[in-house]
């Protein structure tokens, strides 16, 4: 709204001179332009979309209180404007009496245009004194008061309209996305009471319903005034904190549902891999048990570790996983597969370690047999294989290694004695070879 400039001969100045004709004409021209600006602003306020929404809304809380006060302010504002209009029209009528106004006309015009020439009824002013008595204002004071009422009224309307423009539509979009996520979640078994994410979906749904109802009924409760202290109407922003938290929570659920969907897509492949790993573990344990029987029969004086039975619990859980897949309980299948994959690999590793531990004595016997034959071949190359001592020690070691059960400790000692005798027999051969060279 326009604010008038200084009027010649402001109130309060002692013995202010009467306006002359030219000054009156200038003031009337300025007030006419100002009148147009004020009327335009008031009509725009009257037609503001936010105002129409506020008038038709079932309000509560802060907004209900502030809108009630704003409606009273708007009523006072139009009353003040009517008083302003009446004074301006009266001044124009006086000026229109004569081309050259008389001193009495100029005195009357001075009172209307510069002095406290505007009388506002007590009911219209809203701040007047005793009942039935109005207040007198100058036009400049009247415009200042209208500007203040207009700014406060517009601030409430713009703030409410900004919140209504920003939040309900976004809440509706998020609600639509929530419904799509809920439908997808239900298709993979993510339901309330069955999965935490299903419970979270219900909580977000309830939160959005409450939030939308509160935003519609009390938009000013979701308005954050500008931290810069700006006095411009609508200086601030909508508070989207609760909406943002709901949006982040829904995004977390969407990622979890997507993970469950991934499980649905590759569940059969993962189940086949699990069956293969557990099958290999079973075969390895079977081989270990057979090897243990062979070791106990062929190796004496050796501690052979026991071999555990098949991983029954894992097979039962694998069967449960297959049942979950058959019944499309993807939200239960997902964590079970993750656990089974890790434990199945551990079981296969344990089975291989068990086989290695069980067959270790056979590996030792094979290594001793190889060492014995290698020394005999070396002696044969030097023509020493027929030496009686070496033949005797070889036969002893061989009988021990090829008999059942084999005493590994005694056989190892016999092989060591044969090695010692072979080393002693080879020393003269090496000395002779050096002498001839």
């Amino acid at each position: 709204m326009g604010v008038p400039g200084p009027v010649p001969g402001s109130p309060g100045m002692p013995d202010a001179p009467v306006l002359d004709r030219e000054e009156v004409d200038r003031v009337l021209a300025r007030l006419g332009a100002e009148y147009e600006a004020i009327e335009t602003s008031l009509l725009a306020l009257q037609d503001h979309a936010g105002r129409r929404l506020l008038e038709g809304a079932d309000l509560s809380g802060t907004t209900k209180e502030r809108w009630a006060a704003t409606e009273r302010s708007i009523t006072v504002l139009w009353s003040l404007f009517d008083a302003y209009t009446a004074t301006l029209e009266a001044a124009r009528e006086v000026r229109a009496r004569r081309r050259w106004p008389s001193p009495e006309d100029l005195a009357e015009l001075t009172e209307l245009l510069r002095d406290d020439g505007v009388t506002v009824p007590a009911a219209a002013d809203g701040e007047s004194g005793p009942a039935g008595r109005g207040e007198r204002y100058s036009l400049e004071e009247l415009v200042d008061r209208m500007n203040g009422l207009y700014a406060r009224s517009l601030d409430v309307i713009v703030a409410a309209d900004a919140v209504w423009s920003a939040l309900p539509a976004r809440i509706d979009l998020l609600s639509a996305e929530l419904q799509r996520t809920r439908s997808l979640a239900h298709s993979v078994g993510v339901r309330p009471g069955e999965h935490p994410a299903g419970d979270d979906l219900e909580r977000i749904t309830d939160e959005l319903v409450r939030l939308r109802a509160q935003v519609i009924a009390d938009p000013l409760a979701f308005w954050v005034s500008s931290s810069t202290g700006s006095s411009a109407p609508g200086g601030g922003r909508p508070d989207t904190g609760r909406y943002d938290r709901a949006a982040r929570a829904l995004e977390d659920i969407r990622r979890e549902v997507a993970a469950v969907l991934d499980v649905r897509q590759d569940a059969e492949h993962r189940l086949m891999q699990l069956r293969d790993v557990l099958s290999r573990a079973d075969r390895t344990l079977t081989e270990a048990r057979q090897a243990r029987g062979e070791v106990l029969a062929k190796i004496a004086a050796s501690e052979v570790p026991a071999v555990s039975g098949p991983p029954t619990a894992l097979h039962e859980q694998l069967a449960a996983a297959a049942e979950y897949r058959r019944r499309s309980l993807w939200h239960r299948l997902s964590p079970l597969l993750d656990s089974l994959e890790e434990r199945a690999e551990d079981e296969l590793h344990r089975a291989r370690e068990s086989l290695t531990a069980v067959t270790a004595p056979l590996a030792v016997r094979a290594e001793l047999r190889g060492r014995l034959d290698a020394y005999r071949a070396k002696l044969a190359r030097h023509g020493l294989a027929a030496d009686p001592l070496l033949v005797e020690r070889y036969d002893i070691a061989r009988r021990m290694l090829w008999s059942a059960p084999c005493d590994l400790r005694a056989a190892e000692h016999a092989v060591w004695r044969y090695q010692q005798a072979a080393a002693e027999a080879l020393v003269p051969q090496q000395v002779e070879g050096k002498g001839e060279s």
Side-chain angles (χ1 to χ4, degrees):
M1 294 178 66
V3 178
V7 179
S10 298
M13 294 182 62
D15 301 325
V18 175
L19 298 174
D20 60 26
R21 183 178 64 85
E22 293 180 354
E23 290 173 331
V24 166
D25 290 341
R26 284 198 301 270
V27 172
L28 283 174
R30 177 175 57 79
L31 291 177
E34 182 179 81
Y35 170 87
E36 296 293 336
I38 294 174
E39 184 180 41
T40 300
S41 298
L42 290 178
L43 291 175
L45 182 68
Q46 191 75 12
D47 293 336
H48 197 288
R51 181 180 184 277
R52 292 196 298 271
L53 289 172
L54 283 165
E55 285 181 335
D58 184 11
L59 303 175
S60 64
T62 301
T63 306
K64 183 176 182 179
E65 295 175 3
R66 293 187 62 185
W67 175 238
T70 299
E71 283 189 306
R72 292 192 295 270
S73 296
I74 293 175
T75 300
V76 171
L77 187 56
W78 278 104
S79 298
L80 296 179
F81 179 67
D82 289 342
Y84 179 91
T85 302
T87 302
L88 180 58
E89 290 177 351
R92 285 173 172 170
E93 288 177 0
V94 173
R95 178 65 185 88
R97 290 173 186 169
R98 302 173 182 85
R99 180 179 179 185
W100 299 98
S102 66
E104 291 78 8
D105 292 339
L106 291 175
E108 186 177 355
L109 286 168
T110 299
E111 181 181 3
L112 289 173
L113 300 178
R114 185 184 65 189
D115 299 336
D116 296 339
V118 185
T119 301
V120 179
D125 179 83
E127 294 183 359
S128 300
R133 177 185 170 188
E135 288 289 330
R136 294 182 63 82
Y137 294 90
S138 68
L139 286 175
E140 184 177 1
E141 292 169 341
L142 195 64
V143 170
D144 288 341
R145 177 148 169 71
M146 284 192 291
N147 280 338
L149 291 171
Y150 176 83
R152 289 193 296 272
S153 301
L154 185 61
D155 183 64
V156 170
I157 293 171
V158 169
D161 186 54
V163 172
W164 278 335
S165 298
L167 277 175
R170 295 172 68 181
I171 293 172
D172 290 343
L173 288 174
L174 189 62
S175 297
E177 180 62 30
L178 186 145
Q179 293 304 318
R180 288 191 291 271
T181 303
R182 183 207 297 273
S183 177
L184 190 60
H186 282 198
S187 71
V188 294
V190 179
R191 300 182 179 91
E194 299 181 11
H195 193 282
D199 298 331
D200 291 339
L201 277 173
E202 288 300 303
R203 284 194 292 272
I204 296 172
T205 300
D206 294 341
E207 167 64 5
L208 290 181
V209 171
R210 288 194 303 270
L211 179 60
R212 194 181 193 284
Q214 291 169 5
V215 167
I216 295 300
D218 191 9
L220 295 183
F222 297 87
W223 182 254
V224 180
S225 297
S226 175
S227 59
T228 61
S230 172
S231 60
R237 60 175 179 81
D239 180 5
T240 61
R242 286 173 60 184
Y243 167 85
D244 294 337
R245 287 191 293 273
R248 288 194 296 270
L250 180 58
E251 182 60 28
D252 291 340
I253 294 174
R254 288 177 59 189
R255 285 196 292 267
E256 188 165 350
V257 171
V260 175
L261 281 171
D262 290 340
V263 172
R264 183 174 69 175
Q265 292 173 357
D266 61 4
E268 181 59 27
H269 176 67
R270 292 174 69 180
L271 284 171
M272 290 179 60
Q273 286 186 322
L274 275 170
R275 293 190 187 98
D276 179 63
V277 171
L278 288 179
S279 177
R280 282 186 286 158
D282 288 343
R283 290 195 301 270
T284 303
L285 286 175
T286 299
E287 185 179 353
R289 283 190 292 272
Q290 293 173 349
R292 187 173 188 273
E294 181 182 355
V295 169
L296 290 175
K298 295 181 178 180
I299 306 296
S302 177
E303 295 181 359
V304 183
V307 179
S308 64
T312 305
L314 290 183
H315 283 286
E316 292 175 351
Q317 291 179 348
L318 181 59
E323 180 65 13
Y324 287 159
R325 179 185 178 278
R326 187 185 68 80
R327 296 170 55 191
S328 300
L329 299 178
W330 311 110
H331 63 291
R332 294 186 179 180
L333 179 60
S334 177
L336 182 56
L337 283 179
D338 292 339
S339 173
L340 277 174
E341 285 169 345
E342 182 178 354
R343 294 174 60 194
E345 289 294 337
D346 291 342
E347 181 63 25
L348 178 58
H349 180 70
R350 184 181 65 82
R352 287 170 174 170
E353 287 184 335
S354 181
L355 177 61
T356 300
V358 165
T359 57
L362 294 177
V364 172
R365 188 185 67 172
E367 191 274 333
L368 291 174
R369 286 177 174 180
R371 195 192 313 170
L372 181 65
D373 289 340
Y375 268 92
R376 187 171 184 275
K378 185 175 181 180
L379 290 170
R381 287 197 303 270
H382 289 82
L384 299 174
D387 183 275
L389 177 62
L390 293 174
V391 171
E392 178 186 0
R393 292 190 176 181
Y394 173 80
D395 289 340
I396 294 173
R398 191 178 188 285
R399 281 196 302 274
M400 289 184 177
L401 288 172
W402 268 266
S403 63
C406 172
D407 187 338
L408 279 181
R409 292 188 182 89
E412 185 176 13
H413 181 69
V415 171
W416 177 79
R417 291 182 68 229
Y418 180 68
Q419 288 179 236
Q420 289 294 106
E424 292 174 359
L426 288 172
V427 170
Q429 294 288 330
Q430 293 172 354
V431 172
E432 291 176 6
K434 290 180 180 180
E436 292 175 358
S437 61

